[in-house]
Amino acid sequence: MSGIILVSIGGFFGAISRFVISKSIQRRNPKGFPLGTLAVNLTGAFLLGMLTGMQINRHVQALLGIGFMGAFTTFSTLKLESEQLRKDKKYKAFYRYLVLSYSIGILFAFCGLIIGRRL
């Protein structure tokens, strides 16, 4: 039961953090490129990699890894915004968004994992 509570608490704060940070960044970049979601997802990839590398106990993993990071990062928003760019025929932004999201996301997760192992 405590695992469910920890994931719920982490998810609550992760979702609020994502909303505030993403909207704050996006407000400064109104040109249509989803920079807010990109920044949040790349940050989350790095932090989740770091948490994984640190080999934290299962309770902290439930709170921060599954709960907070699960709600902080958002694969569904990435897909929705990608589809909107494609639909609006903003192909350059569409491909740039996908390439940056996946390639840098994997790189950041790997870097976080390496750093986390050294902490």
Side-chain angles (χ1 to χ4, degrees):
M1 184 62 158
S2 68
I4 292 172
I5 293 169
L6 290 170
V7 170
S8 299
I9 291 168
F12 174 80
F13 288 106
I16 291 170
S17 298
R18 171 176 39 93
F19 179 80
V20 171
I21 292 169
S22 181
K23 293 298 178 190
S24 174
I25 291 170
Q26 199 60 42
R27 202 172 307 131
R28 295 184 208 138
N29 180 47
K31 296 178 181 159
F33 187 82
L35 189 60
T37 302
L38 179 64
V40 164
N41 284 343
L42 294 179
T43 302
F46 174 78
L47 292 174
L48 187 55
M50 196 168 76
L51 287 172
T52 302
M54 292 169 65
Q55 298 179 346
I56 54 181
N57 74 51
R58 65 183 181 89
H59 295 297
V60 177
Q61 179 65 23
L63 177 70
L64 298 178
I66 298 169
F68 186 88
M69 290 302 161
F72 183 68
T73 60
T74 173
F75 191 72
S76 58
T77 302
L78 178 141
K79 291 305 189 186
L80 178 65
E81 291 171 342
S82 297
E83 179 55 24
Q84 188 63 50
L85 290 170
R86 189 201 60 77
K87 186 178 132 201
D88 292 344
K89 298 183 178 173
K90 296 179 180 179
Y91 297 115
K92 185 176 180 182
F94 169 73
Y95 290 116
R96 185 173 45 156
Y97 186 43
L98 290 178
V99 167
L100 290 172
S101 293
Y102 289 110
S103 62
I104 296 178
I106 291 168
L107 177 65
F108 277 22
F110 177 74
C111 289
L113 187 65
I114 298 301
I115 291 169
R117 286 180 180 161
R118 294 182 181 179
L119 294 178

